[in-house]
Amino acid sequence: MSHDERLERNKQNVIAFYRLMFNDCKPREAIERYAGAEYRQHNPHVADGKDGFVEYFERMQAEWPGKRVEVRRAVAEGDYVVLHCSQHWPGDHDYAGMDIFRLDDDGQIVEHWDVLEVIPEHSANDNTMF
């Protein structure tokens, strides 16, 4: 597999993982299909490991039916994929999010970081957050 093919595979795996767990509300299937042997989590609201991930997103599925994510851009470099996403949480704020994923040599997700920012009602400029 060429370098470019590997980067594209990693991007597609991360996007498929994110959509499956967030939009399709299938975190267990997402983690079983796209995560490596170990899964390290840096979000302080989510327990480390695969079980912590599944428990958190199953709870989010129950508490926030209709939540949606839209991937606005994906960037891959080395073993990392970065997603810039818009998140819609019905009855709550919408968010701009940046997620960083590290993948192993087989294209499986082994580590995750993220930051979220509420999309404000008013902006000091006419540019969007995307």
Side-chain angles (χ1 to χ4, degrees):
M1 179 179 295
S2 75
H3 175 73
D4 289 344
E5 289 170 331
R6 181 181 167 143
L7 293 177
E8 186 59 30
R9 176 205 62 193
N10 287 354
K11 280 199 297 189
Q12 294 307 313
N13 283 357
V14 167
I15 291 168
F17 168 81
Y18 211 65
R19 288 180 176 154
L20 185 60
M21 70 87 172
F22 204 98
N23 291 347
D24 297 339
C25 299
K26 297 179 180 178
R28 185 171 305 282
E29 184 179 339
I31 209 84
E32 288 171 356
R33 187 182 296 182
Y34 295 105
E38 300 293 323
Y39 180 81
R40 187 167 185 180
Q41 178 62 256
H42 294 274
N43 181 320
H45 301 288
V46 183
D48 200 25
K50 294 178 183 182
D51 290 338
F53 172 88
V54 171
E55 289 168 11
Y56 180 83
F57 279 99
E58 284 180 346
R59 189 172 76 249
M60 292 300 100
Q61 172 185 339
E63 293 176 6
W64 300 97
K67 66 181 175 37
R68 302 289 301 161
V69 67
E70 181 181 344
V71 176
R72 300 298 185 103
R73 59 189 50 84
V75 179
E77 179 179 75
D79 294 332
Y80 294 90
V81 173
V82 178
L83 298 183
H84 184 203
C85 300
S86 60
Q87 294 185 5
H88 174 68
W89 295 79
D92 193 18
H93 301 286
D94 288 344
Y95 293 85
M98 298 290 288
D99 288 85
I100 303 169
F101 298 88
R102 185 174 63 84
L103 292 87
D104 64 18
D105 290 340
D106 296 320
Q108 300 293 293
I109 299 166
V110 295
E111 198 163 8
H112 171 256
W113 300 258
D114 65 341
V115 292
L116 292 172
E117 182 176 357
V118 172
I119 299 173
E121 249 183 78
H122 305 286
S123 176
N125 61 60
D126 292 331
N127 305 319
T128 71
M129 294 182 75
F130 306 102

